Amino acid sequence: MDAFTAGLLHRIKATQSDLTRAREAGDDFLAEVEQAELEDLHRLAAEHGVEVGAACA
């Protein structure tokens, strides 16, 4: 796995975690921000052929 892929997968995992924490805290604004970031990261992964799947679940 190259550095780009590893970094992208790491960012996806971190963002998923941040999104979960925001939802649990009831912070709707932060949850929306994290959701948008997660969608952008998934789009970036798709554009570069990076399989996200179970690695980030």
Side-chain angles (χ1 to χ4, degrees), residues 23-46:
R23 286 178 176 163
E24 289 172 351
D27 189 335
D28 294 336
F29 176 75
L30 183 57
E32 287 183 31
V33 170
E34 296 297 346
Q35 182 64 47
E37 176 71 10
L38 189 57
E39 290 169 6
D40 286 344
L41 291 169
H42 278 275
R43 179 190 48 75
L44 185 62

